[in-house]
Amino acid sequence: MSLICFVYLIFLNLILVHSESFTSTSHLTHLFNTEIELSKQLEKYLKDEYERLDQVEKFLNVIKDEIRQAQGNPERYFGNPVNSYLFIKHLTVEWYNVEEIVSMDISKTMGDNWAFPSFEDYTGSAIALMRLQDTYKLNTSDLANGKISDNFKSRALSASECYDLGRIAYTNADFYHTIMWMQEALDHLDRETNATAPNKIDILDHLAYATSQQGNIEHALALTEEILAIAPEHTRALNNKEYYVDLLRKKTSKTDGSSIVNVKKVDLSNIKNQRPTDYLEEREQYEKLCRQTESKLSPKQQAKLFCRYRHNNHPYLILRPVREEQLLDDPALYLYHDVITDRDIDEIKALASPRLQRAVVRDSGTSSLKAADYRISKSAWLKNEDAPSIARLSRLIEALTNLSMLTAEDLQVANYGIGGHYEPHFDFARKTEKDAFTSFGAGNRMATWLTYFSDVEQGGATVFPARGGYVKPKKGSAAFWYNLYASGEGDYTTRHAACPVLIGNKWVGNKWIHERGQEFRRRCSLDPMA
């Protein structure tokens, strides 16, 4: 019963039953008990209200601090993946908790008029942090303590925030990252006196199970013993201890015939934790290339490369040839410098921003488009008619490549946020994907033009794992390569990837040129641009 209802019933009772209480001292004494109860109810109400207000105030202080840090240059602030993750967390799980206790007017106004991230955004941003850990071999402690960039600052994570990351990994059966973040939560817990810090038993419980799933039964048993030292009657820990002892007994009996298990002290700071293998064969080479900061080709490969100014005797280029730098000879990969002005870039980004949608890939089995975990970005499609800057870029591409834009797709503008990436893939349709570009009606993707609309502080490179190719995003430059041989067969050495963005913000523009009507312009020499 609410306080208002309680007070109203007391008042009603006084009117109907005790309307003449002032005439009797006995009745007044009885009513004194009512006052005592009313006092208790009011105290409880105020205590609960103060707790609710305290929760709202703490949340307000958190977001005010975030606003203070991000205001003036939000792109730079969100260029740090930890800041992005925390921001999304504030507007999802933390706001959901506060929304339940604030005024209905505030809740309705915010819900009806303002956009909020989804819970999927929250879990996606957490998984993106873990992807960055793996790709760039980041130390968990450095990441948790905001030490991944001197230029793009972030605060240290609390024990609770480390625990939440571990929980997300745990929920996804990702025990490799569960161990990392639960261990980090334990380390932070020992240094904190925060009332909102997670319970140590909860951390140990998750850590023990994740450790057992990684094949470390001795460690799991030792962690379970630690739980029981804190809470001897912990039911799950007691059951788990029995289970782990039984597993170790079976293991021991197989090796030396003994059925005795000695629970010994184990070094919990050195838990064996192996990253699981996955579906991507070139994962190691791909991630190794991503960790580079510049191209590292062999001297033999470098000897075949060159730089020059290209104009193709085209009226559009004769007075302003473009600097062409060859980055690979097989496949032939070129980088063109200063192909678009900052002003045109700003116009294209401004047009694309309100249209950005989650990027999709084509399902090789059904030919339908769908979102996929191996491609995380948002994209928008822009036509030449949408702005003069887009038409200018198309004219430049045509002049430099000698390829017609009549069979090219619209400009796809993509923005890669926290951990945004696109794992190794082909731009052309393989023989098993016969219907991939049927609806477009212009044949296969003959060539790719990739314009970089931003610099990226760390990460975000375009890499070619089969040949060690590496292109660092440089604002205003563009990469170009052919996807097909002269025969029309796909060139499998063009398999490439967009490395995860570690620090910064990445904008690119893809222009895919199809073969219909210009089959004889497919690559037919070592210098496909000749």
Side-chain angles (χ1 to χ4, degrees), residues 6-25:
F6 178 79
V7 173
Y8 175 75
L9 287 174
I10 291 175
F11 180 70
L12 191 62
N13 193 42
L14 285 171
I15 293 174
L16 298 178
V17 180
H18 302 290
S19 57
E20 295 183 358
S21 293
F22 69 92
T23 63
S24 169
T25 302

Side-chain angles (χ1 to χ4, degrees), residues 364-523:
S364 58
T366 64
S367 292
S368 60
L369 297 174
K370 64 176 186 178
D373 290 339
Y374 59 82
R375 185 184 191 184
I376 305 294
S377 65
K378 286 195 170 186
S379 61
W381 296 87
L382 302 179
K383 300 179 180 295
N384 287 340
E385 310 89 73
D386 288 337
S389 54
I390 301 169
R392 274 194 294 273
L393 181 59
S394 291
R395 283 198 300 272
L396 178 73
I397 297 171
E398 186 168 76
L400 274 172
T401 63
N402 284 319
L403 296 174
S404 172
M405 293 297 102
L406 293 176
T407 56
E409 296 176 40
D410 293 332
L411 181 69
Q412 186 201 55
V413 180
N415 179 221
Y416 294 80
I418 173 174
H421 72 134
Y422 193 174
E423 289 182 353
H425 62 282
F426 302 103
D427 281 351
F428 64 88
R430 288 160 289 170
K431 288 182 178 179
T432 55
E433 303 168 300
K434 295 180 180 179
D435 300 325
F437 302 116
T438 303
S439 59
F440 191 69
N444 212 341
R445 284 176 172 170
M446 180 170 65
T448 296
W449 175 281
L450 174 62
T451 311
Y452 296 103
F453 293 142
S454 67
D455 296 315
V456 180
E457 183 81 4
Q458 292 180 45
T462 305
V463 297
F464 294 74
R467 292 292 187 267
Y470 177 94
V471 188
K472 181 177 175 62
K474 181 186 174 187
K475 187 178 182 181
S477 65
F480 174 79
W481 66 90
Y482 277 85
N483 296 306
L484 305 179
Y485 289 114
S487 63
E489 292 290 317
D491 181 352
Y492 283 76
T493 64
T494 62
R495 186 169 167 86
H496 60 287
C499 296
V501 176
L502 176 56
I503 297 289
N505 190 13
K506 181 182 176 184
W507 286 85
V508 297
N510 292 295
K511 194 77 172 174
W512 288 294
I513 305 161
H514 288 250
E515 61 183 332
R516 186 74 73 235
Q518 46 190 352
E519 289 84 352
F520 292 104
R521 294 187 183 183
R522 290 192 293 239
R523 177 169 55 176

Side-chain angles (χ1 to χ4, degrees), residues 327-344:
L327 301 180
L328 277 179
D329 71 309
D330 180 26
L333 171 65
Y334 299 91
L335 184 69
Y336 293 98
H337 296 266
D338 303 317
V339 297
I340 185 169
T341 65
D342 287 353
R343 183 176 179 178
D344 280 358

Side-chain angles (χ1 to χ4, degrees), residues 13 46 97 107 143 191 289 320 354 361 430 482 493 521:
N13 193 42
L46 283 175
N97 292 332
S107 178
L143 190 57
R191 303 192 297 265
L289 283 170
R320 51 171 187 175
V361 296
R430 288 160 289 170
Y482 277 85
T493 64
R521 294 187 183 183

